[in-house]
Amino acid sequence: GCKLKIAINSSFSNREVVWLNVFVFGTQAENCIKYKKKGDRVLIEGRLELSKNDSLVVIAEQIKFL
């Protein structure tokens, strides 16, 4: 697996940037390691979970490179 850190621009709160950790597994993780570069745009479908330190993380189910 691999971990991505993504930036989400909030259009309704003074353009504040929110950072989320995304955990990717299997073939999609391999593709992220091979092909994703810093700054690439991605569409992530997945579920939200609370980590052990009570921060919000995304468990990716599908990633599309844009």
Side-chain angles (χ1 to χ4, degrees):
C2 72
K3 179 175 116 177
L4 308 174
K5 188 167 218 144
I6 62 167
I8 301 171
N9 293 324
S10 175
S11 62
F12 49 83
S13 64
N14 300 329
R15 300 208 179 258
E16 194 174 311
V17 176
V18 176
W19 292 90
L20 279 177
N21 289 320
V22 179
F23 293 94
V24 187
F25 301 97
T27 305
Q28 292 188 105
E30 293 172 14
N31 289 335
C32 286
I33 292 167
K34 285 183 188 176
Y35 303 113
K36 189 190 168 308
K37 301 181 306 281
K38 181 178 179 179
D40 286 348
R41 298 181 73 153
V42 294
L43 172 75
I44 298 173
E45 294 180 28
R47 65 184 188 278
L48 296 173
E49 290 188 0
L50 282 175
S51 67
K52 293 177 185 173
N53 63 355
D54 289 335
S55 62
L56 197 58
V57 298
V58 177
I59 307 300
E61 294 172 0
Q62 185 170 11
I63 293 184
K64 294 181 184 177
F65 299 100
L66 304 177

